Amino acid sequence: MSVLNETYTLSNGVTIPKVGFGTWQIPNGDAAYDAVTTALKTGYTHIDTAYAYGNEESVGKAIKDSGIERDKVFVTSKLPGEIKDAEEARRHFVETLANLGTDYLDLYLIHAPWPWNRIGTRHDEGNLEVWKVLEEQYRAGRIRAIGVSNFDVHDLTNILDNAEVKPMVNQIQYYVGFTEPTIVDFSQKNGMLIEAYSPLATGDLLHNSQVQGMAAKYGVSVAQVALRFCLDNGVLPLPKATSEAHIVTNAELNFTIDPEDQEALRHLSDSAPEHFHNSTQG
Ligand SMILES: NC(=O)c1ccc[n+]([C@@H]2O[C@H](COP(=O)([O-])OP(=O)(O)OC[C@H]3O[C@@H](n4cnc5c(N)ncnc54)[C@H](OP(=O)(O)O)[C@@H]3O)[C@@H](O)[C@H]2O)c1
């Protein structure tokens, strides 16, 4: 069975395809439309976008034009990190639905606990205020699962201590050599699935000689090792690609990495030291 047909189950029982298709930095218009169309033709059924990516419209159109029934595609979007008040959160959610041309989302995340120009600052009250909007829309049936992104242990604790519905997902930067074990352990202990964003370190991981050696050993690409690594650790990778060859091979993950090599990958020091690291995560 293709990995594209495999699922994880979230804490509320909703199933989520094990590999998602990332769309950050794919411009709205032909580029996003073509990439998502190719992904859907390849068999991906899980698309990750965000209001902030500016491409929800083309992502939604590609899904609609694919002819695949809406309930056969798992669609994630995100509330911008800059939005920390309820009214604005509701307005953005409505706009996201309209952009995507859908009346519900499968997963909606708070994109970040802080505005992107103030990474690392605390916004406990604002995060709770917008979390309550996610809860409200979840209860109303307009979102099937809710979660967060870029939240560290402090930000998660703030939600867990005060929320009525616990987050089902934490989407964080995660790749071979940068696995944020403190956040991962805490999230998993509290019932959240970890989604790996930038599982290829936005491409920077591809030049790592140790991972290249591992890929050669198994007769696969560096990207395939990096994505298999996520799955072997119970994490859901969100590879982004625009090249059709990349889109196709990123879904060919039916190979096994020996336990000792899995362990070696777990202990690799940062495989892409030049890559931007989210300084609030460790
Ligand atoms: N929540 C957040 O704050 C957040 C932050 C960052 C990312 N994300 C999500 O995570 C997704 C993935 O992260 P990312 O966009 O940083 O990138 P990524 O998936 O880590 O890497 C994408 C880069 O790798 C290349 N690539 C993909 N497959 C390849 C292959 N098989 N061989 C060689 N090169 C390959 C792509 O090239 P081509 O495009 O040329 O094919 C692109 O340059 C995003 O698109 C987004 O959905 C979320």
Side-chain angles (χ1 to χ4, degrees):
M1 179 164 87
S2 163
V3 70
L4 295 176
N5 299 321
E6 294 178 28
T7 55
Y8 289 114
T9 302
L10 301 177
S11 58
N12 66 342
V14 165
T15 55
I16 177 169
K18 272 195 176 180
V19 176
F21 184 72
T23 64
W24 179 42
Q25 292 182 311
I26 312 184
N28 201 39
D30 288 350
Y33 182 84
D34 292 348
V36 173
T37 299
T38 304
L40 293 169
K41 277 195 183 131
T42 304
Y44 290 77
T45 56
H46 173 177
I47 312 291
D48 183 88
T49 184
Y51 182 94
Y53 300 170
N55 60 16
E56 289 175 317
E57 198 187 323
S58 299
V59 168
K61 184 164 165 34
I63 294 170
K64 218 159 228 178
D65 291 353
S66 73
I68 303 170
E69 285 164 45
R70 172 66 187 88
D71 66 355
K72 300 287 186 288
V73 185
F74 191 101
V75 183
T76 300
S77 194
K78 313 184 190 89
L79 175 71
E82 291 71 20
I83 304 304
K84 298 297 176 205
D85 80 88
E87 206 175 310
E88 277 294 293
R90 279 189 205 102
R91 195 178 68 70
H92 276 78
F93 176 64
V94 168
E95 214 178 305
T96 278
L97 290 182
N99 288 342
L100 285 162
T102 185
D103 51 9
Y104 73 95
L105 289 181
D106 294 282
L107 178 63
Y108 195 47
L109 307 175
I110 301 178
H111 203 145
W114 19 251
W116 285 94
N117 62 359
R118 295 169 65 202
I119 290 181
T121 51
R122 296 294 180 198
H123 301 268
D124 292 356
E125 246 178 69
N127 283 324
L128 271 181
E129 184 167 330
V130 297
W131 183 255
K132 288 190 187 313
V133 174
L134 268 63
E135 290 183 330
E136 159 197 306
Q137 298 302 322
Y138 172 70
R139 284 203 200 87
R142 287 188 280 269
I143 314 174
R144 295 177 64 230
I146 52 178
V148 295
S149 179
N150 295 298
F151 274 45
D152 68 7
V153 170
H154 172 99
D155 301 315
L156 292 168
T157 304
N158 173 47
I159 300 287
L160 290 167
D161 284 354
N162 296 289
E164 286 171 24
V165 183
K166 286 185 180 186
M168 292 136 202
V169 165
N170 191 11
Q171 182 182 121
I172 58 171
Q173 189 179 46
Y174 181 103
Y175 57 85
V176 177
F178 189 74
T179 55
E180 315 194 60
T182 308
I183 296 171
V184 169
D185 287 352
F186 186 82
S187 301
Q188 290 176 338
K189 277 189 186 122
N190 284 285
M192 282 165 253
L193 176 72
I194 295 291
E195 291 188 342
Y197 80 63
S198 304
L200 312 177
T202 322
D204 291 337
L205 171 66
L206 303 165
H207 317 292
N208 182 278
S209 58
Q210 283 167 292
V211 188
Q212 283 171 343
M214 195 79 84
K217 176 175 172 184
Y218 290 96
V220 296
S221 68
V222 171
Q224 286 168 311
V225 168
L227 299 174
R228 186 72 250 170
F229 171 79
C230 295
L231 297 172
D232 289 341
N233 290 289
V235 167
L236 189 156
L238 297 167
K240 169 262 180 183
T242 47
S243 137
E244 180 165 6
H246 294 162
I247 292 173
V248 170
T249 58
N250 289 349
E252 292 170 353
L253 303 176
N254 275 343
F255 62 96
T256 307
I257 300 178
D258 295 339
E260 59 272 24
D261 286 338
Q262 287 187 29
E263 200 53 26
L265 286 170
R266 268 182 217 113
H267 290 104
L268 213 66
S269 58
D270 194 351
S271 54
E274 73 279 25
H275 191 64
F276 162 78
H277 293 88
N278 190 325
S279 61
T280 63
Q281 308 195 2

